[in-house]
Amino acid sequence: MVAVQGWWRCSAGDTAAGPVLLDAHPGPQPLEGRVPALHRGSPSPLPGATSGLPPAPEVLRVAIAPPAGRRKMAAAAAVAEEPELGGSLRRYLARLGALRPRPGAERPDGSRRTELHLLFDQLISESCGTAPAAGPCPQDVCALLVQACQLVHLDQEHLVSKVCQLIHHLLNRFQVLVDEQNLNFLLSYCISALKQCSSWTHVEIVQALAALVYNNGPKCQKHLPDLLGRTGLLVQFSDAAQPDVELRRAAVRSMANLCLSVPEQPYLDEPYRSVCFQTFLSVLQSSKTSDVDDITFCMLLQNALKGIQSLLNGGKMKLMQNDQIGSLLAVLKKCMFHGLPGLSIEMPAVLYPVPLPQYDKRLPAKQEQSEPATFKQTGNRRKKSKGKQKKGEFGEEGRDLGDAGNESVLGADMMKLHLGNVQKSPSSDPRGRASDVANMPAGKDHLSSRCPSWKRISSSESEYSDAEGGIQSKVRSYQANVRQGALACFLSAIKSIEKRVLYGYWSAFVPDAPGIGSPQSVSLMTIALKDPSPKTRACALQVLSAILEGSKQFLSVAEDVDHKRAFTPFSVTIASSIRELHRCLLLALVAESSSQTLTQIVKCLANLVSNAPYSRLKPGLLTRVWNQIKPYICHKDVNVRVSSLTLLGAIVSIQVPLPEVQLLLQQPSSSGLTSSGSTTPHRSNSSEQWRKTLPSEGEPLDNPAGCTSPEPCWLLRLCVSIIVLPREDSCSDSDANFPSFSSVYEPCPLRLEALQVLALLVKGHFPMAQSYFLELGEVACRCMEEMDPSIQLHGAKLLEELGTGVLQQYKPDSAVTPDQRVPVSVVVTFWTMMLNGPLPGTLQNSPHATLQTSACDALSSILPEAFSRLQNDQQILCVTLLLGLNHSENPLVKAAAARALGVYILFSCLRQDVMFVADTANAILDSLHDKSPNVRAKAAWSLGNLTDTLIINMETMGQSFHEEFSDLLLLKMLRSATEASRDRDKVKSNAVRALGNVLHFLQPYHIANPRFREAIEESLQALISTVQSEATMKVRWNACYALGNVFKNPALPLGEAPWTTQAYSALSSVVKSCKNFKVRIKSAMALSIPSRRECYGSTEQFCQIWSALVVALQKSEDTEDFLEFKYSASLRTQICQALLHLLSLAKSTDLPVVWETITEHGDAIKSYVLQYLKSGAEENEAGTHTDLCERERVLKGAVEHLDGIEKQLQGKARVRVSVYLQDILTNHASAAELRGLETPILVTNNPHF
C-alpha cells in the first residue's frame, strides 16, 4: 500500500477527532515547492492551551492515510482512548515497537511507513486535546520519541518532518525535560537531520531542537560545537542573510533556550555566550523587510530579547565595554518604542555616554495620517473590551519563550507589583485633576496635548476585541509584547551595568525639559504617558524606578539656579531633568486609569523623592507632589493607597530638614482631600476620633517644639486612624485578594505602611510628634497586643523610634533646650505603660525571632534618667529579660540582647552595681564566642562599653571597686578580648578598644600575679600587631587609642619591658606613613601620653620618636586622598603638642639629636609651631580644647626645662634648643602685636634674651 500525503492545520474543532484532510495525492512527492506556502502564515490558536502552558505551534503538518475506513477507524480509536494519557502513550510505544523492521531488513516496507504516518497523526492530534488532569510519565514520553526516531530513516524526509513535529509538541505539551542519555540521542538525530535533509524540513527540525534544549543547556556541552561553533548550524540559520525568516526565528529561539540557566549547573562558556549575544544583537539591529509580516518579525524580536535577558540574568553577564553597552542600549531603546502609535524613531547603532541630553531624530510616522480613525476605534473598544482572552488566542509553547500575544512574556522579574496581582477596582477618571498640574514650570505643555493621536484603552491589560480589530489588534498586541520584552531586558541590563557607567546614558532614557523650539526627546516617560497598554506603561515605570534607585550620589550635583552663560552647566542640566521628571510623573498620575500602573507611578515618584537633592533645588516640587498624592490616600485600590503612603513616607524622611516639608505637615487636614469617585475622605474629617479611642494615661505636652498648629499634624492623624480605627467603607475589589484581613480594621498592608510612615515621622520630625508622645505609645501598645506578628513588629519599631527621639533630645550636644524636651516624668509614665503592657510578652515571643529582636532594640532605647526612676521590680524585669535573651539560640535575638546589655552597662544606676557588672560581663563573654559573626560583633561592642565602665568606676569609686570585682573575671575578659582581636574587622575594632581599657584598669597586684603575666604580654602583642596590620582604618584607629590607654597605667613597666620598643616603633611608623590622617592623629596622641621621661626608654628610643614626629609634621599635607586634607590642621596641632611634650621631658643626652634636627629642619618646625600658637582656641580630633594661653604655657614650660638642662652642659657640648624655642615665643608675641591682639605673652627669665 502506498501512503497518501496530506497537510492539515489544527483549528478550533480539531481537538481529538483526528487530522483533517486538506488535499490528497498518491505517492510521496517532493513538496518543497508548496510547503512554504502552506506552512507560512499567521498562527492559528491551539485548542486546549491554557495560560499556564506554553503557546502551541502555529502550523502542524502531518501525513494521513487515505482509505475512508481507515480514517474512520482511527477517529473512533482516538475518541475511544481512555483519558489517562500515560496508558495511551504506553500503547503507542508498544505499537511502535511492533513496527521495528524484521532482522535483515534495513528499512520498513510501504505498509509499515503507512502505519507510522497513521501513528504520528494520532499522536499529534492527541497532543492538541485538552490538558489532562495528570500528564504522562516523562520516561514514557522520552522512550516513545527515541523509538520513533529509531524507526525513521533520515532519507524519509516526510517522516523526519513529522517525528520532529512530534518531539516539538509532546515536549512542550507536557513540559517534559529529557534525561541526558536520551537527550544525546535525540540531539544527534536532529543535528544529523539538519545536515542531510532538504531545507524544507529544517523549520520543524529546529523547532524540535529548541524543545529539546529548553532548560537542558548544561547537558548539551558536547553538541555546542555543532550548534554554536564558528560554522555551527544555529549560527548559519540565524544569520541575517537567511532568506527563510521562520527558520531564522526558530534558530534564534533555540539559541535563547540554550542560554537559559539551570540552578547549580555550569553555564555556557564565554565564547558561546559571545556568539549568542552578537546574534541576538544583530537580530535586534535588523529592520523589517517587505516580505516579512509584522507578527513574524515581532516574534523574532521577542526571541532575541528573551535570549539577551537570559544571558544577563542566568549568565550573570557583566557589561563592561562601552561599545557593547552602547550597542545594547541603542537596540533596547529602539525596541522600547516598536510599534508605538504615532511615533517612529531612528536610532544610531551605538549610544555613547554623554553628560548632555541626546535628542533622537524623529521620523514622520504613517500612523499619524490615519490617527482620527484610530482614535475613534480605540475609543469604541473601551466599551466593548472583554475581560478574558480567547483560550489559546495567540500562541506557541512556553519553551518558545513567549512568542505569543499574551502579555505574560515578561516573567516574574518584570511584573512583580506590590502585594501581588490585585484585581482592578473601578475608579473615576482622574483626568479632571490634570488642571492641578497646569501650574508647572512655564514652557512645558502637557505631553498628552502635544500628541492627541492616541487614547488609552481601559480594558484589562490591553486585551483587544477581535470582532473590531482583527489582524490589526493582533499586530498591536504583538508589538506591545516587543516593547515589554525590551523593557524587561533593559531592567536586567541595569543590574548588569555599574551605576556610574549607566548614568552616562541618563539623558537617553530620562526626560529633560526641551529647549525653546526643540521637540521633547523620547524617553521612558514617553512610554509611560503614551503607550496604550497599561502593562507596558507599568514596565516603563518599573525600569525608570530601577534607574532612580541608588542615584542619590549622581543627582547630588544638581543645582537649580538661574544661569546666563553661553553653555549650560551639568548641574543645571541634572536639575532640569529632575524638574521634568516631577512634571511628567504628575501628568501620568492624573491621567492613569489602571490601578496597577497607578501603583507603579507612585512608586517611581517615591524613588525620585528618596534620591533627589531638594535642598539644592528651588522649593515647590515637593508641594506639588504632596498635593497631587493626597486624594490617592483614600483610593479604593489597596495597592494605590499603600504606595501613596510610601511616597509620603519618602517625603517626611528627607534627611536635610526642609522648611517646605515642615509647612506641608502643618497644613490643615482637609487641604487636598477633595471628594471624588475614587476617594473616600471619611477619615480626614474625624479630627480627634482616634484620640478618643485611646485611654488617656497622661496629658499631652503644652506648646510642643516645632508644632505651631492648634491641631495635630494631619499625616500623624491619618496614620493613627488607619492603624487603630475600624474601617468605615465596604470591602473594595482589591481587598478580596487578602483573605486574612480582619473585617474590622483596614487591610493589613495599609496598616503596616501607615505604621512605617508614622515611625518615619517620629524619627524625622520628633518635635512635631512629641505633643502626642503618650498617645503614640498607646498606639504601639495596641499593635503589640494584636495577633498578627507583622503588626506587632512594626509596633515595636514605632516604640523604638519614640524612645530614640527622647534620647536624642537629652544628648549633651543636643540643640533642644531643657524646657522643650519631653519631661522625664512623662518618659517614666511612657515606659511604665510599656512594661506593664505587652512589651515583656513580646520579648518572650520565641516563635517570632524578628519580633523579639525589635523588642530588644526598643527596650535599649529607654532614657537612662527615666530608667533610674522606674520601680525596682521594673528595673529587675528589664535586666532579667535581657540576660535571659542573651542565651537565645537565634542569632538575631542574641545579638540584639548583647547590644542592649552594652547600652544598660553605661547607666549610672547600674554600672556601680558590681553584681550587675559581673553578670553582664559573663553574658557578653558568652556571646563573644558565638558562631555567628553578627553576635560576636555586637558582643565586642558591648565589651568595649563594659570596659569603659570599669575605667569610670575606677576613677569615681576608687579602690573599693577593684576589691569587689573578681580577678578571675578580669583575666577572662583579658583573654577573651585578646582572642577576639584576631577575629574579623567588625569584631576586632571593639576588641582592641576593650583590651586597652582592661590593661589600663589593671593594678600592680594584677601585674605581679603570674597568671596575669602571660595574658598581659599576649594582649600587648595583639595590640601592637593590630597597629601595624593592614586592617581597616577603624581597627587601626582603635588600636592606637588602646595603646594610648595602656600608656596611662603607671603600674605597667613602660620603658623597661621589651614590648615598649615595639609599641613605640609601631606608633612612630603609623604617624609618618598611614594614609588615614585620623589614625595618624590618634598615634601622635598616644605618643604624647607618657608622663615621665623614663617611660620613653633609652635615648635612642626617645630620639627615634622625636625624629618620627618631625617627619610626620613635614608630611602633614602629603596625601593622595583629597578628603584627608580637612584633617591636616588637626594632625599638625596634635604633632606640635607631642613635640612640645617630648621637649618638656627631655634629658641632657637627648638634646644633641634634638638640636641636630632643629639645625636641619628648624625653619619648617618654627613655621608649624607659630601656626599652632596662632590658631588659638581650637578643638582637636581628640575632642579636647587647648586655648592660646595653655599652648604658650606648655611652650614656656619646655623652654624653662631645657634652659635648666643646658646650663648643666659644659663647653662645646652645650646646645641652644631653649634659645630656639624662646625665639619662637618672641616672634609669636611680635606677630600678635601687629595683629592688634592683646595676648598675654608669658615672658621667660632666660638670660640669653
Side-chain angles (χ1 to χ4, degrees):
M1 181 182 295
V2 179
V4 176
Q5 304 295 324
W7 296 92
W8 64 279
R9 181 175 301 168
C10 256
S11 63
D14 302 329
T15 56
V20 176
L21 183 64
L22 297 183
D23 66 31
H25 55 90
Q29 301 179 14
L31 302 178
E32 287 84 345
R34 66 186 188 84
V35 167
L38 291 172
H39 179 63
R40 312 296 182 256
S42 58
S44 299
L46 172 64
T50 63
S51 61
L53 289 175
E58 51 269 39
V59 177
L60 299 179
R61 301 186 297 176
V62 295
I64 36 185
R70 196 70 174 266
R71 287 200 300 272
K72 291 179 181 178
M73 291 173 61
V79 174
E81 290 287 357
E82 64 182 54
E84 205 285 308
L85 209 57
S88 175
L89 281 181
R90 283 191 288 272
R91 283 194 301 277
Y92 281 121
L93 184 58
R95 291 174 64 183
L96 283 173
L99 291 176
R100 290 178 181 174
R102 292 185 296 273
E106 296 182 359
R107 52 187 299 119
D109 55 22
S111 61
R112 283 187 172 82
R113 284 200 301 272
T114 302
E115 190 68 25
L116 282 175
H117 278 295
L118 179 60
L119 281 176
F120 292 161
D121 291 346
Q122 292 173 343
L123 277 168
I124 296 175
S125 175
E126 191 166 333
S127 72
C128 294
T130 306
C137 176
Q139 289 81 2
D140 291 343
V141 176
C142 294
L144 186 145
L145 295 177
V146 170
Q147 183 70 48
C149 290
Q150 289 173 341
L151 290 173
V152 176
H153 289 255
L154 295 179
D155 57 350
Q156 298 171 335
E157 294 185 349
H158 294 155
L159 285 175
V160 169
S161 174
K162 197 172 295 185
V163 78
C164 287
Q165 292 179 45
L166 185 62
I167 293 172
H168 182 201
H169 297 306
L170 283 181
L171 295 182
N172 287 324
R173 181 76 169 79
F174 304 116
Q175 295 292 289
V176 173
L177 290 181
V178 184
D179 61 275
E180 188 167 2
Q181 181 179 357
N182 290 323
L183 179 67
N184 286 330
F185 173 81
L186 294 172
L187 280 180
S188 299
Y189 182 87
C190 290
I191 291 171
S192 300
L194 286 172
K195 293 178 179 179
Q196 298 182 32
C197 295
S198 302
S199 60
W200 69 267
T201 64
H202 286 176
V203 173
E204 284 77 12
I205 299 173
V206 177
Q207 286 179 343
L209 190 68
L212 287 168
V213 301
Y214 181 83
N215 265 346
N216 269 328
K219 302 175 186 175
C220 303
Q221 295 296 323
K222 70 177 186 178
H223 300 284
L224 292 180
D226 289 329
L227 298 174
L228 300 178
R230 181 172 298 180
T231 58
L233 295 169
L234 295 181
V235 175
Q236 296 179 32
F237 295 152
S238 60
D239 189 78
Q242 173 59 242
D244 189 342
V245 68
E246 288 288 351
L247 179 58
R248 188 184 184 197
R249 184 170 70 85
V252 172
R253 183 168 64 248
S254 298
M255 271 192 183
N257 284 359
L258 276 170
C259 292
L260 288 172
S261 64
V262 179
E264 300 180 359
Q265 294 291 329
Y267 198 65
L268 284 178
D269 293 335
E270 176 57 34
Y272 297 128
R273 274 185 281 178
S274 179
V275 167
C276 292
F277 182 80
Q278 291 302 323
T279 299
F280 298 144
L281 204 60
S282 175
V283 169
L284 295 175
Q285 289 171 339
S286 62
S287 301
K288 187 179 84 68
T289 56
S290 58
D291 59 334
V292 178
D293 63 273
D294 289 327
I295 291 179
T296 302
F297 185 67
C298 286
M299 290 190 289
L300 176 64
L301 294 179
Q302 279 183 266
N303 288 325
L305 288 168
K306 197 65 180 178
I308 289 183
Q309 189 178 5
S310 296
L311 284 172
L312 294 173
N313 289 345
K316 306 298 181 185
M317 184 176 179
K318 291 297 180 184
L319 300 173
M320 304 297 292
Q321 301 175 3
N322 283 339
D323 56 344
Q324 191 182 46
I325 297 173
S327 300
L328 176 60
L329 294 182
V331 295
L332 289 181
K333 185 171 183 180
K334 174 185 174 184
C335 293
M336 279 162 43
F337 297 99
H338 181 76
L340 187 63
L343 182 68
S344 178
I345 64 172
E346 181 179 293
M347 287 297 301
V350 180
L351 284 178
Y352 294 99
V354 291
L356 298 177
Q358 285 178 282
Y359 294 96
D360 303 311
K361 180 181 178 183
R362 303 181 66 176
L363 300 179
K366 293 183 179 179
Q367 292 93 328
E368 293 178 355
Q369 299 175 2
S370 59
E371 280 169 2
T374 304
F375 186 91
K376 182 177 181 180
Q377 194 177 44
T378 55
N380 292 335
R381 287 197 196 98
R382 175 184 292 274
K383 301 177 182 178
K384 298 184 180 181
S385 61
K386 298 180 181 180
K388 292 184 178 180
Q389 272 184 327
K390 293 181 179 180
K391 182 181 281 189
E393 182 168 356
F394 314 112
E396 285 191 28
E397 288 74 358
R399 295 164 185 266
D400 297 347
L401 299 174
D403 289 350
N406 64 45
E407 297 191 5
S408 62
V409 298
L410 295 179
D413 194 27
M414 173 54 73
M415 290 309 296
K416 279 184 181 173
L417 298 181
H418 191 51
L419 299 173
N421 294 323
V422 178
Q423 296 177 3
K424 294 169 184 57
S425 58
S427 62
S428 66
D429 187 357
R431 286 180 174 81
R433 293 190 296 274
S435 60
D436 298 339
V437 196
N439 58 356
M440 283 291 187
K444 301 178 178 65
D445 299 324
H446 288 218
L447 287 182
S448 55
S449 64
R450 281 201 291 266
C451 304
S453 61
W454 60 276
K455 176 175 275 191
R456 293 198 181 139
I457 297 172
S458 60
S459 59
S460 174
E461 304 305 335
S462 185
E463 293 163 354
Y464 302 94
S465 171
D466 285 339
E468 288 190 19
I471 189 64
Q472 291 184 0
S473 65
K474 192 179 294 186
V475 169
R476 285 195 294 271
S477 182
Y478 275 92
Q479 289 172 339
N481 286 339
V482 172
R483 297 196 295 274
Q484 292 166 29
L487 290 166
C489 193
F490 191 11
L491 192 63
S492 299
I494 290 173
K495 300 174 183 177
S496 303
I497 303 174
E498 288 186 58
K499 286 287 188 180
R500 62 182 181 84
V501 177
L502 176 67
Y503 291 140
Y505 302 90
W506 173 273
S507 58
F509 298 98
V510 180
D512 184 23
I516 299 176
S518 302
Q520 177 75 45
S521 60
V522 292
S523 65
L524 287 166
M525 283 309 307
T526 308
I527 303 173
L529 287 165
K530 292 190 61 177
D531 201 293
S533 165
K535 184 171 286 188
T536 309
R537 298 197 297 272
C539 294
L541 291 162
Q542 192 170 2
V543 171
L544 182 57
S545 287
I547 294 175
L548 289 172
E549 188 175 356
S551 61
K552 185 184 291 289
Q553 183 177 359
F554 170 72
L555 296 180
S556 64
V557 302
E559 190 172 11
D560 202 354
V561 294
D562 297 325
H563 68 95
K564 298 179 180 180
R565 305 179 187 176
F567 66 94
T568 303
F570 182 67
S571 59
V572 175
T573 301
I574 296 299
S576 172
S577 182
I578 293 174
R579 284 198 312 270
E580 185 68 6
L581 270 175
H582 281 79
R583 189 184 76 88
C584 292
L585 285 170
L586 291 178
L587 280 175
L589 181 70
V590 298
E592 186 56 63
S593 58
S594 165
S595 295
Q596 288 185 344
T597 310
L598 196 59
T599 302
Q600 288 299 324
I601 294 173
V602 182
K603 285 183 179 181
C604 196
L605 271 169
N607 253 337
L608 175 59
V609 169
S610 299
N611 290 281
Y614 291 100
S615 59
R616 297 170 60 87
L617 304 175
K618 293 179 180 178
L621 291 177
L622 287 174
T623 301
R624 296 188 188 102
V625 174
W626 187 273
N627 293 333
Q628 286 296 112
I629 201 60
K630 268 189 173 182
Y632 294 91
I633 298 170
C634 302
H635 196 277
K636 289 184 178 180
D637 186 88
V638 174
N639 288 347
V640 176
R641 297 177 70 187
V642 170
S643 57
S644 299
L645 283 175
T646 303
L647 174 55
L648 290 174
I651 293 176
V652 300
S653 61
I654 294 175
Q655 291 182 354
V656 180
L658 296 176
E660 184 179 2
V661 177
Q662 295 281 351
L663 291 174
L664 291 174
L665 288 172
Q666 295 172 14
Q667 281 183 354
S669 60
S670 59
S671 175
L673 287 172
T674 56
S675 177
S676 69
S678 61
T679 60
T680 53
H682 55 278
R683 296 196 176 276
S684 305
N685 300 324
S686 55
S687 64
E688 294 297 331
Q689 181 181 356
W690 64 273
R691 295 193 61 193
K692 294 176 182 178
T693 63
L694 302 176
S696 58
E697 299 203 16
E699 293 299 324
L701 305 178
D702 296 329
N703 284 331
C707 187
T708 59
S709 176
E711 62 178 12
C713 166
W714 74 268
L715 182 57
L716 184 147
R717 292 175 45 235
L718 172 71
C719 291
V720 173
S721 65
I722 290 174
I723 296 164
V724 303
L725 289 186
R727 63 192 308 172
E728 299 178 9
D729 56 345
S730 59
C731 180
S732 69
D733 293 340
S734 59
D735 296 350
N737 293 280
F738 307 102
S740 62
F741 286 171
S742 168
S743 59
V744 178
Y745 294 109
E746 293 285 1
C748 183
L750 188 63
R751 298 181 70 204
L752 291 176
E753 195 62 38
L755 275 167
Q756 292 187 60
V757 174
L758 198 56
L760 290 172
L761 187 62
V762 171
K763 181 179 181 179
H765 304 272
F766 186 75
M768 189 172 292
Q770 75 177 64
S771 61
Y772 298 92
F773 185 69
L774 293 180
E775 286 83 354
L776 292 175
E778 179 60 24
V779 172
C781 273
R782 283 195 170 195
C783 292
M784 288 190 289
E785 288 171 349
E786 293 197 21
M787 299 300 295
D788 189 338
S790 58
I791 297 291
Q792 291 177 303
L793 174 65
H794 285 83
K797 290 184 179 295
L798 174 60
L799 173 59
E800 181 187 359
E801 292 297 345
L802 288 167
T804 304
V806 175
L807 284 174
Q808 296 295 329
Q809 286 190 336
Y810 279 83
K811 277 189 172 181
D813 56 350
S814 173
V816 181
T817 58
D819 61 317
Q820 292 293 311
R821 298 172 180 169
V822 180
V824 176
S825 59
V826 176
V827 182
V828 172
T829 303
F830 176 87
W831 283 105
T832 301
M833 175 174 60
M834 296 300 150
L835 293 171
N836 291 336
L839 185 57
T842 303
L843 284 164
Q844 299 174 75
N845 192 349
S846 56
H848 301 288
T850 307
L851 178 58
Q852 283 183 294
T853 301
S854 292
C856 274
D857 293 338
L859 193 59
S860 68
S861 66
I862 187 170
L863 184 69
E865 292 86 342
F867 183 87
S868 63
R869 292 171 58 176
L870 290 175
Q871 296 180 5
N872 190 50
D873 58 338
Q874 291 175 334
Q875 294 183 9
I876 294 174
L877 174 63
C878 294
V879 173
T880 304
L881 286 171
L882 292 179
L883 289 172
L885 290 174
N886 192 74
H887 297 288
S888 172
E889 295 181 357
N890 187 284
L892 291 175
V893 178
K894 192 169 185 177
R899 179 191 170 277
L901 287 172
V903 173
Y904 276 45
I905 197 64
L906 296 175
F907 288 0
S908 58
C909 61
L910 292 177
R911 69 181 179 221
Q912 296 181 359
D913 185 342
V914 178
M915 294 303 298
F916 171 74
V917 174
D919 290 342
T920 302
N922 282 312
I924 291 173
L925 293 178
D926 174 71
S927 296
L928 198 60
H929 295 91
D930 194 86
K931 63 181 180 180
S932 167
N934 186 43
V935 173
R936 297 199 303 274
K938 299 294 185 184
W941 179 82
S942 295
L943 183 61
N945 287 1
L946 174 64
T947 55
D948 287 341
T949 295
L950 296 182
I951 301 301
I952 295 173
N953 288 343
M954 179 181 69
E955 295 171 351
T956 57
M957 298 175 64
Q959 191 66 27
S960 61
F961 185 80
H962 282 100
E963 294 174 354
E964 294 182 32
F965 197 75
S966 169
D967 292 350
L968 290 176
L969 181 56
L970 189 63
L971 180 60
K972 184 179 178 182
M973 291 170 60
L974 187 62
R975 287 173 174 167
S976 296
T978 302
E979 182 181 351
S981 69
R982 304 186 186 97
D983 206 331
R984 58 183 63 193
D985 284 352
K986 286 187 177 181
V987 180
K988 185 185 300 184
S989 60
N990 285 294
V992 295
R993 176 166 71 100
L995 273 180
N997 284 331
V998 173
L999 290 170
H1000 182 194
F1001 182 78
L1002 294 177
Q1003 296 301 299
Y1005 63 87
H1006 293 133
I1007 298 172
N1009 191 326
R1011 289 186 301 177
F1012 275 85
R1013 192 170 300 142
E1014 182 181 353
I1016 293 173
E1017 181 67 26
E1018 188 178 354
S1019 60
L1020 285 166
Q1021 292 299 326
L1023 283 179
I1024 294 168
S1025 62
T1026 304
V1027 171
Q1028 296 173 324
S1029 69
E1030 295 298 325
T1032 60
M1033 297 308 167
K1034 181 179 180 181
V1035 173
R1036 300 180 72 184
W1037 187 96
N1038 275 293
C1040 293
Y1041 172 82
L1043 278 180
N1045 268 340
V1046 172
F1047 295 165
K1048 292 178 182 178
N1049 190 344
L1052 290 172
L1054 191 61
E1056 302 173 4
W1059 56 264
T1060 303
T1061 302
Q1062 300 173 7
Y1064 285 136
S1065 176
L1067 291 172
S1068 300
S1069 175
V1070 167
V1071 79
K1072 290 188 297 184
S1073 59
C1074 184
K1075 295 179 180 179
N1076 186 279
F1077 276 20
K1078 282 189 171 184
V1079 178
R1080 288 199 205 181
I1081 292 169
K1082 192 55 64 176
S1083 62
M1085 184 179 297
L1087 289 172
S1088 65
I1089 285 178
S1091 58
R1092 295 178 295 113
R1093 170 62 185 84
E1094 293 77 11
C1095 296
Y1096 286 98
S1098 65
T1099 299
E1100 182 182 3
Q1101 180 67 58
F1102 181 91
C1103 294
Q1104 287 177 356
I1105 297 172
W1106 165 268
S1107 300
L1109 287 170
V1110 171
V1111 172
L1113 187 61
Q1114 293 175 306
K1115 291 184 175 181
S1116 59
E1117 296 180 356
D1118 296 346
T1119 179
E1120 298 177 358
D1121 188 353
F1122 179 77
L1123 297 177
E1124 295 297 326
F1125 275 113
K1126 61 183 178 181
Y1127 302 113
S1128 60
S1130 295
L1131 175 59
R1132 287 192 295 273
T1133 296
Q1134 191 59 55
I1135 293 175
C1136 287
Q1137 289 178 2
L1139 287 172
L1140 293 179
H1141 176 73
L1142 288 177
L1143 290 175
S1144 65
L1145 298 177
K1147 58 184 182 180
S1148 58
T1149 55
D1150 304 325
L1151 295 184
V1153 175
V1154 172
W1155 179 249
E1156 181 181 349
T1157 306
I1158 290 175
T1159 303
E1160 186 175 355
H1161 307 290
D1163 292 340
I1165 296 174
K1166 181 177 180 179
S1167 64
Y1168 286 125
V1169 175
L1170 283 173
Q1171 181 62 35
Y1172 164 72
L1173 294 172
K1174 176 184 175 182
S1175 57
E1178 179 180 311
E1179 183 177 1
N1180 61 20
E1181 199 271 339
T1184 60
H1185 294 270
T1186 53
D1187 59 21
L1188 184 58
C1189 294
E1190 174 63 25
R1191 297 183 183 189
E1192 290 174 353
R1193 275 193 291 268
V1194 172
L1195 180 55
K1196 175 183 178 295
V1199 171
E1200 292 177 349
H1201 170 74
L1202 292 174
D1203 183 59
I1205 294 176
E1206 290 171 353
K1207 287 179 180 178
Q1208 301 174 7
L1209 298 178
Q1210 300 297 325
K1212 297 182 180 179
R1214 187 173 182 183
V1215 293
R1216 312 281 292 180
V1217 179
S1218 62
V1219 177
Y1220 172 79
L1221 294 180
Q1222 187 63 55
D1223 183 52
I1224 293 176
L1225 266 177
T1226 304
N1227 287 347
H1228 171 63
S1230 302
E1233 290 177 3
L1234 290 175
R1235 292 194 303 268
L1237 298 178
E1238 296 180 0
T1239 306
I1241 301 300
L1242 301 174
V1243 182
T1244 70
N1245 296 322
N1246 193 324
H1248 300 292
F1249 291 90

